[in-house]
Amino acid sequence: MGRPAGRCRPALLALLLALAGSAPPALAHIDPDDTPDPVAEMEYRILLEFQPEDTATRNKLAMVLFRLGRLGDAEAELRRVLAAQADDADALDGLGLVQAAQGRPADAVRSFAAARRARPGDLAVHLHLGQALEAQGDLPGAEAAYREGLAAGQPAADPQERTALAAALEALRQRTAGRPGAPSGGQP
């Protein structure tokens, strides 16, 4: 009996990379739904051995590390990306997620705000910024981030992200209904 197919993938990937001389772009886009995080981590690390400057793969590795709860490692990978490309919106957003998970909402707000400047139409960034502002107790700022995201979202934006942003705005309204300075009841 041979080895299970999933256990051969990293070795096969390394062999293909060695034979090809460089990774085709599609190989760097491992679908997290299809690959367990520990396997994806190994595959990303192999890819980075051959192309250490590949910031897209390094961002993906950081998100795998984040999901695995290895926040310090994830932050280190994201900072490597940002050292090479200071306005990388994915790395800035990822860094904000790591900082929020570490209980550093002020740092997370700064990272998410920078990600929003780098990619103003990204609904997930607006959602993350609003959540970080809520964690800091800045409810008007959170409302503004949610509303701005809904207004600035690109027409081709993911409908699930738009729904999540609208739901966050509505949840904020419901939690603060009747409080002085509460978010307004207007439409998103």
Side-chain angles (χ1 to χ4, degrees), residues 39-178:
V39 174
E41 176 188 0
M42 187 182 320
E43 290 179 352
Y44 291 141
R45 289 193 186 283
I46 290 169
L47 288 169
L48 289 168
E49 284 293 318
F50 291 95
Q51 295 182 323
E53 72 288 344
D54 182 351
T55 57
T57 298
R58 195 164 301 282
N59 273 321
K60 290 177 183 189
L61 172 61
M63 289 298 90
V64 164
L65 295 169
F66 172 76
R67 287 191 303 272
L68 290 171
R70 293 170 41 203
L71 301 180
D73 293 338
E75 183 172 354
E77 293 297 336
L78 293 164
R79 291 203 181 276
R80 284 185 70 178
V81 171
L82 293 170
Q85 209 170 346
D87 64 345
D88 186 301
D90 290 327
L92 290 163
D93 185 46
L95 183 60
L97 290 171
V98 168
Q99 292 165 329
Q102 291 171 328
R104 299 165 42 202
D107 292 334
V109 166
R110 283 190 290 278
S111 295
F112 293 137
R116 181 180 60 182
R117 286 190 299 276
R119 194 167 37 212
D122 189 324
L123 298 184
V125 169
H126 286 86
L127 176 64
H128 297 153
L129 175 59
Q131 291 168 335
L133 288 165
E134 278 192 67
Q136 280 191 303
D138 182 356
L139 303 184
E143 178 187 16
Y146 297 145
R147 286 182 179 283
E148 182 181 321
L150 289 168
Q154 298 171 4
D158 182 338
Q160 289 178 322
E161 288 180 355
R162 184 172 298 285
T163 300
L165 199 52
L169 178 59
E170 182 58 29
L172 176 62
R173 284 185 194 149
Q174 289 179 8
R175 280 193 310 276
T176 59

Side-chain angles (χ1 to χ4, degrees), residues 23-29:
L27 290 178
H29 300 286

